[in-house]
Amino acid sequence: MRLLVVMVIVLAGVASCSTTSGPSAVPAIPAKPHLTAHDSLAPSAAALDVYAHDRPGLLSPGVAHFPARVYVPNSQENTVDVIDPATYKIIKTYRVGRRPQHVVPSWDLETLWVNNNDGNTLTPIDPATAEPGKPVHVEDPYNLYFSPDGSYALVMAERLNRLDFRDPHTMRLDHSLELPCKGVNHGDFTADGSVFLVSCEFSGQLLAIDWRAAKVVKIIDVGAANMPQDVKLSPDGTLFYCADMAAGGLWLVDARTFAKAGFLRTGKGAHGLYVSRDSRVLYVSNRGEGSVSVVSFATRKKIAKWRLPGGGSPDMGGVSADGRQLWLSGRYHRAVYVISTSTGKLIRKVKVGAGPHGLCVYPQPGRYSLGHTGVFR
């Protein structure tokens, strides 16, 4: 029976492949041998959904025993606050390196990495205990991603305008790719995992990178005055959405040709992008106006806007494992916002340290992590 199911899935994948020379729309990245237990979590799907393994309840057996926690890096205090999401209370605070930017789950889901940008270190956190370990020297780790096959940690060296390819466990440098842009910081992968689309905040560009060849295959200009931020692939793998903080909305980019496919205005300071657990909508944090826009993947239109009472600065974060809450850092308000995904209402505002940035809700469903504050496949 298992063999029959596998054959059906493979045949369906072949039938849906593009006949062009661009990236395929069918996932082709298998889990590593020590993660094969995740295969039992795979839902059957008639159509491609790159987030099919991110549904509520689909926690990997390797992370199911981790306590639910929210990790908040406070960039201006060089600390991480650990919140118990059941009580909304800070239960731990510890010092890390200078200017922590994001807390990133490792590809194998076993470690959380605090990106200490100015301190040139990564601090590992054991999610079983929520305790930090010994920092590892890494140059300019503004953000961190992982190749879809788990072979590389990809460090977004923002001030160095460089993408560093490192060992995903030791973080030892393997090689670097100098980038023809300024301020590389966020990205996501095509459905087949072959191309990494990254944003360059300070030059108004997106780069399509063949990460296996360590080569830029296309430069997409969105305007020198603009500031592209977070990037997310649509569930069907056909389109990238890229938040632009200066333009106040989302650039749409064809995931096959990497041509601009439109622009959708969401709100002032559009910044972070988060996919709902049912893959139907995209949550957009509008940092400059204290709101969250809800965009339909089916219609590619904004269908709702949730405003924070009294305003705020919603930045980076993630969706709770059950999909019921959206957690966002309040970058300039020493706060974390907890928002109901069913009503759009603010459930709780938690006071944290100064400059909270890329918080991580953990654990989350998924077979493996592609990085940032939680991009799972």
Side-chain angles (χ1 to χ4, degrees):
M1 181 63 181
R2 179 177 176 83
L3 178 60
L4 177 60
V5 171
V6 171
M7 289 176 65
V8 170
I9 292 174
V10 169
L11 289 172
V14 171
S16 63
C17 281
S18 169
T19 58
T20 69
S21 60
S24 165
V26 179
I29 304 301
K32 289 239 177 148
H34 68 283
L35 293 180
T36 51
H38 296 182
D39 292 347
S40 63
L41 300 177
S44 59
L48 174 67
D49 180 355
V50 299
Y51 304 108
H53 298 276
D54 297 357
R55 299 287 187 265
L58 295 187
L59 287 176
S60 158
V63 306
H65 66 288
F66 293 160
R69 297 290 183 260
V70 178
Y71 300 84
V72 186
N74 301 307
S75 296
Q76 295 178 25
E77 292 189 355
N78 305 328
T79 61
V80 169
D81 287 327
V82 183
I83 300 173
D84 181 345
T87 64
Y88 305 106
K89 302 291 186 183
I90 295 176
I91 57 174
K92 297 181 183 181
T93 298
Y94 37 78
R95 296 196 66 78
V96 290
R98 285 188 293 124
R99 197 169 291 279
Q101 300 282 13
H102 303 93
V103 176
V104 177
S106 62
W107 183 88
D108 62 11
L109 311 178
E110 296 176 359
T111 306
L112 300 176
W113 293 101
V114 185
N115 291 229
N116 305 311
N117 197 183
D118 289 353
N120 296 310
T121 60
L122 295 176
T123 299
I125 296 175
D126 181 351
T129 63
E131 292 292 341
K134 184 178 179 181
V136 178
H137 177 77
V138 171
E139 280 190 288
D140 190 17
Y142 175 82
N143 209 347
L144 176 63
Y145 288 82
F146 295 90
S147 60
D149 65 354
S151 60
Y152 291 113
L154 304 173
V155 174
M156 302 290 218
E158 185 183 58
R159 67 175 178 268
L160 299 176
N161 303 318
R162 200 173 73 193
L163 184 64
D164 287 341
F165 293 71
R166 294 178 175 271
D167 182 283
H169 302 289
T170 67
M171 295 298 165
R172 184 184 299 276
L173 181 66
D174 187 278
H175 60 283
S176 296
L177 174 63
E178 301 292 335
L179 300 177
C181 71
K182 295 181 180 179
V184 62
N185 52 33
H186 299 92
D188 201 356
F189 294 84
T190 52
D192 69 350
S194 65
V195 176
F196 189 27
L197 187 74
V198 305
S199 61
C200 297
E201 179 177 351
F202 304 129
S203 58
Q205 295 169 309
L206 302 171
L207 306 181
I209 298 173
D210 178 341
W211 61 268
R212 291 188 179 94
K215 179 176 66 175
V216 175
V217 295
K218 188 165 184 179
I219 300 174
I220 305 107
D221 289 309
V222 298
N226 288 324
M227 303 179 75
Q229 304 290 316
D230 204 2
V231 181
K232 283 292 184 300
L233 184 66
S234 64
D236 64 7
T238 63
L239 201 69
F240 283 102
Y241 291 81
C242 179
D244 193 310
M245 191 163 60
L250 309 179
W251 295 103
L252 280 58
V253 177
D254 187 294
R256 183 178 64 87
T257 65
F258 306 109
K260 285 185 290 186
F263 180 80
L264 175 62
R265 192 167 299 282
T266 61
K268 186 178 179 181
H271 200 74
L273 305 177
Y274 308 96
V275 178
S276 63
R277 291 272 171 233
D278 59 8
S279 299
R280 292 183 179 180
V281 300
L282 182 68
Y283 306 118
V284 185
S285 62
N286 302 310
R287 192 174 78 184
E289 66 177 37
S291 74
V292 174
S293 293
V294 184
V295 173
S296 166
F297 283 119
T299 66
R300 301 180 183 178
K301 294 181 179 179
K302 184 177 67 177
I303 58 175
K305 180 176 281 192
W306 304 333
R307 295 190 180 276
L308 295 173
S313 50
D315 197 285
M316 293 293 178
V319 178
S320 61
D322 62 10
R324 296 177 180 177
Q325 298 176 343
L326 174 64
W327 288 69
L328 297 172
S329 60
R331 188 74 171 271
Y332 305 122
H333 290 78
R334 300 177 65 107
V336 165
Y337 311 115
V338 188
I339 301 166
S340 167
T341 56
S342 60
T343 68
K345 301 295 184 182
L346 181 68
I347 299 172
R348 191 67 63 97
K349 184 163 71 172
V350 183
K351 184 178 180 181
V352 293
H357 192 190
L359 72 77
C360 179
V361 179
Y362 207 70
Q364 291 188 45
R367 298 169 297 169
Y368 54 90
S369 164
L370 294 179
H372 192 32
T373 58
V375 181
F376 299 95
R377 295 284 195 267

